[in-house]
């Protein structure tokens, strides 16, 4: 393998911690910096604050000599050649990205620089952020030849973050100087050369010794735009299929057949064409808003993105109407809920459409009993347990004596329920599936009234619910 690089990663969240663990896995020495003392203490003690496959194993393997945790950004900067900024970039009131954390971190790094450093933005940021970081560092008196600012956007998905990081579709490096570009290229060399994939303990995935990931060198502005444009495009794909699903419902076609047929066209591709209850998470909602805001600032009409957002809101509303069509009235009804995270495979509840729906149910007077394999602790911080909001120990406990069961996140275990047991457990055998996890024919055969997204409603189901009636 190539020369190890000393790296600091600032921000130990979903992006920063995964990046740090993976850089160590690639042979580099890494210092993770976070200003949350409790988080750093937990990490130092061997804990892992987020739910991600492979992450505990990787951190355990590397903790002894390759990964350290600290709150001291100054020392971390001085000991590192490359500093990745992976702090949050939340949405501000106007929709733009709030870059105050990035600003604060850049100033602190500047005050600690004593020899050449490359500062890399890993967080998703609007175009020109690179330029702003450069100005902040210069304003703090750092000479131009003592630093470079580069952009290395991250495309990992939560839940599969480690595999996405180590087996990326592409690695994008935006750099204006050859020196910075070369240093970043050398960090990714274990992946781009294919060497990493030949190691006995390497995390398995799509890339291999013979098909390593491609690396793309661009300007910093192009790298920033690649990230925003990619997230906005994927969100658009989801909103598109959600509207197609609504058309399918109106004409009695099956959106699963339509998306399969569309996805076989290699120009369209099959992924991110799953209809559902709308996208959520810490990225799509804020990045679509931020990208739209960037366009507005530049006087460019990108109303397409406004449509993407409003379709996404409407999708949650439509699902709620579907629940209403099955329950008629809400007050005092017992509703079982499977899934609170913004998608399966993660404990993250940020911008979760599932939580929006639960909050709406509670507002309407329902008694909710919810289960999620990983997100319940976080959900309790937003919706505490109460007589009307119960957290169940498993899917069947959530379904116990419920008037209907809602499936809101696409956890694999929700697609493999014992249907006979579920039928027996529910008060009424009504399942309203916001993720299309089940075959309609099977659900019908097993005696369920089954409503899903963008699929024709059977006669039995139509008789059982107030479908399309006001
Ligand atoms: C990331 C990216 O940073 C964001 O740009 C992207 O769009 C979404 O994913 P994420 O890793 O999910 O954010 O954020 P979060 O889990 O909130 O982690 C950020 C970490 O940075 C937290 O641990 C926080 O304590 C830390 N932080 C924040 C600092 O160390 N210093 C700060 O000044 C601010
Ligand atoms: C996303 C991007 O995929 C990733 O590249 C980027 O780095 C961060 O943002 P993430 O937010 O972890 O990743 O989740 P993702 O798997 O993209 O799902 C986002 C939302 O879209 C979820 O709510 C998910 O349920 C929904 N979704 C996704 C659909 O409704 N249909 C789909 O076909 C795909």
């Amino acid at each position: 393998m190539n020369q190890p690089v000393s790296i600091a990663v600032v921000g130990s969240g979903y992006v920063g911690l995964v990046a740090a663990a993976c850089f160590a896995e690639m042979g580099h020495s890494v210092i993770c910096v976070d200003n949350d003392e409790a988080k750093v203490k937990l990490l130092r003690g061997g804990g892992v604050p987020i739910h991600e496959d492979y992450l505990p194993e990787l951190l355990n393997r590397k903790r002894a000599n390759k990964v350290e945790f600290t709150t001291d950004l100054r020392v971390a900067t001085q000991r590192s050649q490359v500093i990745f900024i992976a702090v949050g970039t939340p949405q501000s009131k106007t929709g733009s990205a709030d870059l105050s954390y990035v600003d604060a971190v850049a100033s602190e790094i500047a005050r600690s620089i004593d020899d050449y450093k490359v500062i890399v933005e890993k967080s998703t940021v609007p175009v020109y952020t690179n330029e702003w970081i450069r100005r902040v560092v210069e304003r703090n008196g750092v000479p131009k030849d003592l630093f470079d600012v580069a952009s290395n956007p991250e495309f990992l998905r939560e839940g599969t973050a480690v595999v996405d990081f180590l087996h990326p579709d592409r690695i994008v490096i935006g750099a204006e100087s050859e020196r910075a570009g070369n240093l970043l290229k050398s960090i990714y060399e274990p992946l781009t050369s294919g060497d990493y994939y030949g190691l006995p303990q390497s995390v398995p995935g799509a890339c291999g010794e013979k098909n390593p990931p491609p690396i793309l060198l661009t300007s910093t502005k192009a790298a920033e735009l690649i990230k925003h444009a990619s997230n906005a495009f994927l969100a658009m794909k989801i909103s598109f299929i959600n509207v197609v699903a609504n058309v399918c419902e109106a004409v009695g076609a099956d959106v699963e057949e339509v998306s399969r047929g569309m996805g076989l066209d290699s120009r369209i591709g099959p992924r991110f064409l799953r209809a559902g209850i709308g996208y959520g998470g810490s990225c799509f909602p804020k990045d679509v808003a931020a990208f739209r805001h960037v366009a507005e600032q530049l006087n460019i009409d990108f109303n397409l993105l406004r449509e993407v957002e409003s379709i996404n809101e409407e999708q949650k509303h439509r699902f709620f109407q579907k629940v209403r069509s099955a329950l008629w009235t809400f007050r005092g009804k017992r509703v079982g809920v499977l899934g609170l995270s913004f998608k399966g495979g993660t404990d993250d509840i940020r911008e979760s459409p599932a939580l929006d729906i639960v909050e709406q149910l509670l507002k309407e007077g329902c008694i909710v009993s919810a289960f999620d394999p990983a997100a319940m602790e976080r959900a309790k911080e937003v919706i505490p347990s109460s007589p009307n909001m119960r957290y169940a120990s498993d899917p069947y406990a959530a379904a116990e004596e419920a008037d209907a069961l809602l499936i809101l996140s696409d956890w694999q275990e929700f697609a493999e329920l014992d249907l006979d047991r579920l039928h027996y457990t529910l008060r009424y055998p009504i399942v309203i599936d916001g993720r299309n996890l089940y075959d309609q024919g099977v659900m019908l055969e097993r005696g369920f009234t089954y409503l899903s997204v963008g699929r024709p409603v059977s006669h039995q189901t139509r008789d059982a619910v107030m479908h399309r009636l006001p």
Side-chain angles (χ1 to χ4, degrees):
M1 291 252 222
N2 66 321
Q3 277 297 97
V5 176
S6 54
I7 294 173
V9 180
V10 191
S12 302
Y14 286 87
V15 174
L17 190 58
V18 170
C22 292
F23 285 143
E25 172 77 359
M26 286 150 69
H28 307 297
S29 55
V30 186
I31 309 178
C32 296
V33 191
D34 203 289
N35 63 2
D36 180 339
E37 284 182 18
K39 192 178 269 189
V40 173
K41 196 166 162 216
L42 176 84
L43 284 160
R44 276 191 177 153
V48 182
I50 54 173
H51 174 93
E52 276 299 338
D53 281 351
Y54 293 110
L55 189 58
E57 293 92 306
L58 251 55
L59 285 174
N60 274 341
R61 238 191 265 166
K62 304 294 167 188
R63 246 188 204 104
N65 53 3
K66 288 282 184 195
V67 191
E68 291 170 55
F69 303 97
T70 180
T71 52
D72 193 336
L73 179 53
R74 167 178 281 271
V75 170
T77 301
Q78 286 166 350
R79 283 179 44 199
S80 305
Q81 297 165 269
V82 181
I83 303 129
F84 285 86
I85 302 180
V87 295
T89 50
Q91 192 173 330
S92 71
K93 282 200 185 86
T94 58
S96 65
D98 175 354
L99 298 173
S100 50
Y101 297 139
V102 176
D103 187 350
V105 165
S107 303
E108 172 88 29
I109 292 172
R111 287 193 287 270
S112 318
I113 288 180
D114 49 9
D115 61 357
Y116 177 75
K117 309 282 174 197
V118 180
I119 302 167
V120 189
E121 38 172 47
K122 193 86 174 141
S123 306
T124 305
V125 289
V127 65
Y128 287 123
T129 303
N130 212 279
E131 189 51 30
W132 273 112
I133 295 176
R134 194 182 59 71
R135 277 187 216 172
V136 166
V137 177
E138 271 184 24
R139 263 183 216 160
N140 278 279
V142 183
K144 277 190 173 60
D145 59 351
L146 222 51
F147 77 101
D148 275 305
V149 185
S151 170
N152 171 221
E154 185 45 59
F155 301 96
L156 59 79
R157 290 160 303 163
E158 288 177 24
T160 52
V162 169
V163 175
D164 286 350
F165 192 100
L166 293 170
H167 296 265
D169 286 350
R170 78 295 205 192
I171 295 160
V172 175
I173 290 174
E176 307 299 337
S177 91
E178 216 180 314
R179 190 175 181 191
N182 285 340
L183 195 48
L184 276 164
K185 271 198 319 198
S186 77
I187 289 179
Y188 286 101
E189 168 82 14
L191 303 187
T192 53
S193 64
D195 290 351
Y196 169 72
Y197 307 107
L199 298 176
Q201 281 197 316
S202 68
V203 171
C207 299
E209 279 174 284
K210 298 231 161 62
N211 60 328
I215 190 161
L216 184 66
L217 289 173
T218 67
S219 68
T220 51
K221 290 195 193 85
E224 290 166 331
L225 284 169
I226 287 169
K227 176 65 194 187
H228 256 169
S230 300
N231 270 3
F233 190 87
L234 291 170
M236 179 185 74
K237 235 179 146 183
I238 297 169
S239 278
F240 189 91
I241 201 66
N242 279 335
V243 179
V244 172
N246 300 339
V247 174
C248 286
E249 270 178 29
V251 301
D254 185 338
V255 72
E256 299 297 326
E257 291 180 359
V258 175
S259 63
R260 208 171 309 129
M262 287 171 65
L264 282 170
D265 185 326
S266 59
R267 293 168 302 175
I268 297 174
R271 298 169 74 188
F272 282 72
L273 280 182
R274 285 192 328 274
I277 53 173
Y279 60 78
S282 70
C283 289
F284 285 175
K286 95 172 156 53
D287 291 346
V288 171
F291 199 32
R292 173 172 55 70
H293 194 263
V294 165
E296 269 164 24
Q297 297 294 96
L298 299 167
N299 275 329
I300 292 163
D301 177 350
F302 214 156
N303 279 332
L304 174 64
L305 295 184
R306 214 178 269 287
E307 282 305 312
V308 168
E309 290 173 315
S310 73
I311 291 166
N312 200 51
E313 279 310 301
E314 176 62 17
Q315 200 63 13
K316 284 181 255 181
H317 177 69
R318 281 183 68 99
F319 183 78
F320 199 76
Q321 289 308 105
K322 210 166 272 175
V323 181
R324 194 187 291 280
S325 76
L327 290 179
W328 185 25
T329 63
F330 282 124
R331 189 152 300 282
K333 292 273 169 71
R334 303 172 79 91
V335 180
V337 164
L338 298 187
L340 296 166
S341 54
F342 76 95
K343 62 171 187 179
T346 176
D347 59 345
D348 197 347
I349 53 159
R350 290 179 286 181
E351 303 291 325
S352 169
L355 275 200
D356 284 354
I357 289 163
V358 168
E359 277 173 341
Q360 187 75 21
L361 289 168
L362 291 170
K363 216 157 57 196
E364 296 273 357
C366 292
I367 300 160
V368 175
S369 183
F371 172 73
D372 188 289
M376 291 202 287
E377 286 314 308
R378 286 180 199 268
K380 279 179 198 166
E381 289 166 20
V382 184
I383 313 179
S385 298
S386 70
N388 283 355
M389 180 67 199
R390 298 169 195 167
Y391 289 91
S393 53
D394 64 57
Y396 306 98
E400 185 113 27
E401 281 301 299
D403 292 284
L405 182 73
L406 314 189
I407 302 179
L408 302 182
S409 312
D410 48 352
W411 283 93
Q412 187 54 34
E413 70 172 273
F414 298 160
E416 295 164 354
L417 296 173
D418 174 341
L419 293 178
D420 291 333
R421 184 171 168 201
L422 187 65
H423 194 288
Y424 168 82
T425 308
L426 282 162
R427 182 159 189 232
Y428 297 111
I430 301 173
V431 174
I432 309 168
D433 181 357
R435 300 291 189 162
N436 289 359
L437 298 186
Y438 284 92
D439 183 286
Q440 297 208 98
V442 170
M443 292 304 273
L444 220 60
E445 248 173 57
R446 301 296 192 92
F448 288 94
T449 295
Y450 179 70
L451 288 161
S452 52
V453 180
R455 300 197 282 187
V457 176
S458 68
H459 294 301
Q460 293 97 311
T461 298
R462 197 176 292 275
D463 288 346
V465 302
M466 302 288 274
H467 197 65
R468 293 230 198 112
L469 289 181

